[in-house]
């Protein structure tokens, strides 16, 4: 097992920058604004041959009520409770603050080992703060610059000493043999305050993500690994999405960009349409009729998308989500045999031939194939594909959906000029 190392410290000392440095990519949002990170973010990290699980946390706050800062602090405490080691960061250029002293005193009362890390040590201005940190009673501060990557060799030595040796790299071969496809990535996407984090917590049965009545709590796209009946799932919580015209602040732009990347790399985006807070709807029949009408108007490209009504707060109908997700995933991966496609093409053309082109020439569709799945993508070859009207393209797409049960997923129909590419050359 890899050790778990939690990165902690007061707000704006560079925790997310160090996390990104250790995992080797820009996963966590980094901004000059304090308090950007709110949820725990996890990732496989290493320094040379030292491998571990890194956890980025919210800035430690001295708050103990039901406010958002207090709930963030409890999330950090939960991460530290399961840690093998804590890296306590402080800003060496700013020196030791009363909040640094407060949390250093708290960490000294715990059984988990702590390595004190003096961040932002890229210049002489950091030296006084570094020497001042000896007063925290946590040993020698390790001077690093998370932004520039300096001092990683010193951090390696400190972690190795604290853990008692080098952790081996994670085993890859056995996991690949057991489940070649890896976890199914399921992104939970929606407007702010619709209950995305609450839904994930309800699914996994744990208060893993920060929730509350405030809109826009989630800022980073947070991945939570989950085992659902023996199948590995990577649930991705995302920041709330709004219309582009309403997004003005830089931090929200970063959060939305993170959400869009999560959507891009997901295999299923809770589309499967999950309608949360259904327990609060008075006239459910009217609400569902309105929803179906809007889907027909606004999302014709995913005609037949599954709609699951749930209440994440009460747990009602949550069992219906994952079967709908697996159904959508199967359709997204579906491949149609070439022979079946060409039988379908001959039939649809016979029933409804393409209209004449502008110059009264006939448009002939000769052959169809599926070059790829995820999403299902079809190529139809003909003599004048550029003259085919949009209405006939939609006819072909709708017929494909009906014939091969491709409801609820985007499909692509590419019209190409040319002969049958599989026809034997003479």
């Amino acid at each position: 097992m890899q050790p778990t190392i939690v990165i902690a410290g007061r707000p704006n000392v560079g925790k997310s920058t160090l996390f990104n440095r250790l995992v080797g990519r820009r996963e966590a949002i980094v901004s000059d604004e304090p308090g950007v990170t709110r949820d725990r973010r996890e990732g496989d990290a290493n320094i040379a041959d030292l491998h571990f699980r890194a956890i980025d946390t919210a800035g430690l706050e001295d708050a103990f009520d039901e406010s958002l800062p207090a709930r963030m602090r409890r999330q950090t405490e939960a991460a530290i409770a399961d840690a093998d080691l804590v890296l306590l960061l402080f800003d060496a250029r700013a020196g030791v603050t009363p909040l640094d002293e407060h949390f250093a005193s708290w960490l000294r009362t715990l059984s988990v080992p702590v390595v004190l890390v003096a961040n932002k040590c890229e210049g002489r201005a950091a030296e006084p703060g570094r020497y001042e940190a000896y007063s925290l009673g946590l040993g020698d501060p390790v001077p690093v610059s998370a932004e520039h990557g300096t001092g990683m060799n010193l951090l390696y030595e400190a972690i190795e000493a604290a853990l008692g040796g080098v952790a081996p790299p994670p085993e890859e071969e056995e996991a690949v043999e057991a489940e070649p496809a890896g976890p199914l990535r399921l992104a939970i996407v929606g407007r702010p305050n619709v209950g995305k984090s609450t839904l994930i917590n309800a699914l996994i049965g744990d208060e893993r993500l920060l929730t509350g009545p405030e809109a826009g709590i989630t800022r980073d796209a947070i991945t939570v690994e989950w085992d659902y009946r023996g199948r590995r799932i990577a649930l991705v919580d995302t920041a709330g999405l709004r219309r582009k015209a309403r997004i003005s602040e830089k931090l929200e732009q970063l959060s939305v960009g993170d959400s869009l990347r999560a959507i891009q790399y997901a295999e299923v985006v809770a589309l499967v349409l999950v309608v949360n807070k259904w327990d609060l709807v008075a006239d459910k029949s009217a609400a569902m009729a309105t929803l179906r009408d809007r889907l027909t108007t606004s999302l014709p490209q995913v005609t037949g998308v599954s709609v699951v009504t749930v209440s994440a707060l009460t747990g009602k109908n949550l069992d219906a989500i994952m079967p709908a997700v697996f159904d959508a995933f199967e359709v997204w991966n579906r491949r149609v045999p070439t022979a079946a496609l060409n039988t379908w093409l001959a039939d649809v053309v016979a029933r409804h031939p393409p209209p004449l082109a502008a110059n009264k020439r006939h448009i002939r569709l000769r052959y169809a194939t599926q070059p790829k799945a995820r999403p299902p993508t079809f190529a139809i070859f003909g003599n004048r594909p550029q003259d085919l009207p949009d209405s006939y393209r939609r006819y072909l797409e709708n017929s494909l959906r009906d014939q091969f049960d491709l409801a609820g997923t985007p499909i692509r129909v590419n019209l190409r000029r040319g002969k049958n590419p599989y026809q034997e050359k003479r």
Side-chain angles (χ1 to χ4, degrees), residues 38 129 171 239 257 342 353 401:
R38 289 174 171 175
E171 294 291 338
N342 283 284
R401 289 186 184 280

Side-chain angles (χ1 to χ4, degrees), residues 87-375:
L87 302 181
L88 179 62
L89 257 68
F90 74 97
D91 183 344
R93 290 183 301 186
V96 174
T97 69
L99 204 54
D100 293 322
E101 295 174 345
H102 175 80
F103 290 112
S105 299
W106 171 62
L107 286 171
R108 288 201 307 270
T109 67
L110 305 181
S111 59
V112 61
V114 178
V115 169
L116 183 63
V117 181
N119 193 25
K120 307 183 183 180
C121 285
E122 56 268 32
R124 291 185 178 180
E127 290 184 7
R130 200 177 101 205
Y131 294 130
E132 185 182 359
Y134 282 96
S135 65
L136 296 177
L138 293 172
D140 296 337
V142 181
V144 305
S145 171
E147 183 176 358
H148 299 284
T150 59
M152 293 299 109
N153 59 322
L154 301 175
L155 186 58
Y156 174 102
E157 294 172 359
I159 293 175
E160 183 185 21
L163 293 176
V166 174
E171 294 291 338
E172 296 286 351
E173 294 181 3
E174 292 184 6
V176 170
E177 290 175 3
E179 191 171 341
L184 186 156
R185 292 186 65 83
L186 170 60
I188 309 297
V189 180
R191 293 186 296 107
N193 215 31
V194 296
K196 300 181 293 298
S197 301
T198 303
L199 176 61
I200 291 180
N201 286 345
L203 286 173
I204 65 176
D206 183 29
E207 292 299 311
R208 169 63 179 79
L209 297 169
L210 192 63
T211 62
E214 304 91 346
I217 289 178
T218 302
R219 286 173 170 170
D220 292 272
I222 303 295
T223 300
V224 178
E225 295 187 1
W226 178 41
D227 185 279
Y228 175 79
R229 299 181 181 179
R231 184 160 185 180
R232 294 163 59 211
I233 308 294
L235 293 167
V236 185
D237 189 24
T238 62
L241 296 173
R242 299 193 299 163
R243 293 179 186 272
K244 190 173 182 179
R246 297 182 180 179
I247 300 172
S248 56
E249 296 183 2
K250 179 182 178 181
L251 182 55
E252 186 175 1
Q253 292 173 356
L254 293 172
S255 295
V256 169
D258 208 28
S259 297
L260 294 176
R261 280 190 294 275
I263 293 170
Q264 180 181 359
Y265 291 107
E267 281 133 348
V268 181
V269 177
L271 177 100
V272 183
L273 188 66
V274 178
V275 185
N276 192 24
K277 307 184 183 181
W278 194 245
D279 54 316
L280 303 180
V281 177
D283 191 342
K284 291 179 171 54
S285 297
M288 182 56 72
T290 301
L291 178 60
R292 293 287 186 189
D293 181 65
R294 287 296 303 273
L295 285 174
T296 302
T297 304
S298 303
L299 289 172
Q301 66 271 34
V302 286
T303 300
V305 62
S306 296
V307 178
V308 181
T309 57
V310 304
S311 170
L313 192 62
T314 66
K316 186 175 181 180
N317 208 32
L318 292 181
D319 289 344
I321 293 178
M322 294 312 297
V325 166
F326 294 140
D327 287 345
F329 184 63
E330 188 277 326
V331 173
W332 190 58
N333 283 277
R334 184 168 299 165
R335 282 194 171 274
V336 179
T338 300
L341 268 177
N342 283 284
T343 300
W344 160 81
L345 181 62
D347 181 61
V348 294
V349 169
R351 283 191 285 112
H352 186 181
L356 294 175
N359 59 359
K360 305 302 182 183
R361 297 280 299 275
H362 287 282
I363 301 174
R364 293 182 175 85
L365 302 180
R366 297 189 175 98
Y367 188 81
T369 186
Q370 184 184 359
K372 65 184 291 290
R374 308 179 75 160

